Amino acid sequence: MRKTIFKILIWLPLALWGVPAQGQVLSQIIDSLNHRTLYSTYWDNGWGGLVPEWIYQDLLGHMASTPKLIALVKQQNLSPPLRLSALRALIDSRSPVCKALVLRNMSDSSRVTVRSADVIYGDYTQNLYIEWLMEGRGEGWLSASDSARIDSAALCSPVAARLDYTRRLLYRLPSGLPEYEQRVRQLYVKEHIAEALPLLARYRREADKALIAEALLQYARGLDKEGAQAGRKGHTNEALLAVRNWPDEAFKTTLLTIRNYEVRRKYYDYARIKYLFEALMAYDSPWAYRQIDLTLRKAKGNRYYREYFHSAMKKHYHARYQPLLDKWPYTPWNDFGDGFE
């Protein structure tokens, strides 16, 4: 059905007015996309209906030449939906020029409304550019060196703080790379990207202990009296991941303070439960064993603590804590994972 609609839309004007009309149809498609504010990632609106924006987006990819698509992406005065449609068409054809275009637009901070079936949200144009290009890494047409260049450019981009890709990149960057240390510290201290803290901890600079300690103490930020999220949260979860990467004696007392606070909360922060176990496990000591055991005992009636201890052990196994798996058993109802870092 989809291909039939395309053929009708493309060839009907040509049949009526002849081949020269193709240029006019393309101009109309470009003009329509340039006046739209929404980009659609899927043809279905979630209710079985065809999304008008998607028809124009797909027609652009079918009708525009590669040089024309490149020219559209380069013109930042054009609407985000039009530029996104042009780049998506180039990426779908695996055009080598996509890499240069994404690098060229690394500072693009324009926003766009995105529709994915019946879900509508806002995003940055450059964030989508990078996400789409990096799909090529898994599909084999983007080389490791190309990927490294994009990663480095994203990390150093002046709009890095706005990119979801940057935040995920910080979690998977190799540790201890000296060329990134200053930038990682800047992202955390000056641009307030919480995800930079775990990577910063891997450099193990004495001066950065204060940053981790301060973030650990933000455990109640944004929470109401019962422990429900009521405002902007602090960086405690990322600080727990930082302790996992740097299990220093200086953080022990605060970890226990967080533990005692968490087990009394009415509402749970599931990620924090897992990260707390990971931070304690990183000490790999009899002290850590006792504290994990005590945490599970304090939260005996809460199955989530057992679940996330097992999840933490699955991801970061320590033979020392194997007896605790047997003492505090948990049988998952699926094997999909918990969805946390």
Side-chain angles (χ1 to χ4, degrees), residues 61-222:
H62 279 79
M63 299 186 69
S65 65
T66 295
K68 183 63 176 179
L69 292 171
I70 293 171
L72 292 173
V73 177
K74 286 182 176 180
Q75 296 181 58
Q76 291 202 9
N77 61 315
L78 299 177
S79 75
L82 174 55
R83 288 182 285 126
L84 285 165
S85 302
L87 185 72
R88 181 74 253 185
L90 290 168
I91 287 177
D92 287 344
S93 66
R94 298 190 174 186
S95 174
V97 77
C98 294
K99 305 157 195 174
L101 287 173
V102 171
L103 287 168
R104 175 192 176 100
N105 288 277
M106 196 59 74
S107 61
D108 186 353
S109 60
S110 57
R111 285 188 65 81
V112 64
T113 300
V114 181
R115 177 171 194 152
S116 182
D118 59 346
V119 177
I120 297 177
Y121 58 95
D123 205 342
Y124 289 99
T125 303
Q126 181 58 14
N127 198 49
L128 292 168
Y129 281 171
I130 299 176
E131 295 280 359
W132 292 345
L133 181 61
M134 285 307 182
E135 291 171 3
R137 182 168 49 199
E139 295 170 3
W141 63 274
L142 189 70
S143 70
S145 59
D146 289 330
S147 178
R149 285 181 64 205
I150 297 295
D151 285 350
S152 181
L155 198 65
C156 298
S157 168
V159 298
R162 302 172 183 172
L163 304 178
D164 290 339
Y165 183 80
T166 304
R167 298 172 188 274
R168 292 196 300 276
L169 173 61
L170 287 164
Y171 280 140
R172 64 176 177 79
L173 274 177
S175 61
L177 296 177
E179 63 268 30
Y180 289 136
E181 182 178 354
Q182 184 177 356
R183 178 55 175 158
V184 171
R185 186 171 289 104
Q186 182 184 45
L187 288 172
Y188 183 74
V189 175
K190 295 187 176 180
E191 301 185 34
H192 310 294
I193 299 181
E195 291 83 355
L197 190 58
L199 182 58
L200 186 61
R202 291 185 181 275
Y203 292 99
R204 301 198 173 191
R205 305 299 185 194
E206 194 69 21
D208 294 332
K209 279 186 182 179
L211 297 175
I212 299 172
E214 179 188 8
L216 285 171
L217 290 171
Q218 297 172 7
Y219 57 85
R221 183 173 293 183

Side-chain angles (χ1 to χ4, degrees), residues 194-296:
E195 291 83 355
L197 190 58
L199 182 58
L200 186 61
R202 291 185 181 275
Y203 292 99
R204 301 198 173 191
R205 305 299 185 194
E206 194 69 21
D208 294 332
K209 279 186 182 179
L211 297 175
I212 299 172
E214 179 188 8
L216 285 171
L217 290 171
Q218 297 172 7
Y219 57 85
R221 183 173 293 183
L223 302 178
D224 63 20
K225 292 181 180 180
E226 291 188 311
Q229 196 70 43
R232 191 170 184 177
K233 67 178 182 178
H235 295 174
T236 295
N237 286 12
E238 289 76 20
L240 289 170
L241 293 176
V243 175
R244 183 190 71 191
N245 295 338
W246 187 9
D248 190 87
E249 291 290 316
F251 308 131
K252 282 185 171 181
T253 300
T254 309
L255 289 180
L256 300 186
T257 301
I258 294 171
R259 186 269 311 279
N260 294 336
Y261 177 83
E262 288 297 317
V263 295
R264 293 194 300 267
R265 280 178 65 180
K266 180 178 179 181
Y267 299 95
Y268 312 126
D269 182 331
Y270 303 108
R272 184 172 296 174
I273 295 172
K274 179 180 178 182
Y275 299 162
L276 176 61
F277 282 126
E278 291 183 0
L280 290 170
M281 286 164 53
Y283 286 89
D284 196 14
S285 67
W287 172 85
Y289 185 101
R290 290 194 302 273
Q291 295 307 324
I292 292 171
D293 189 25
L294 181 57
T295 302
L296 290 165

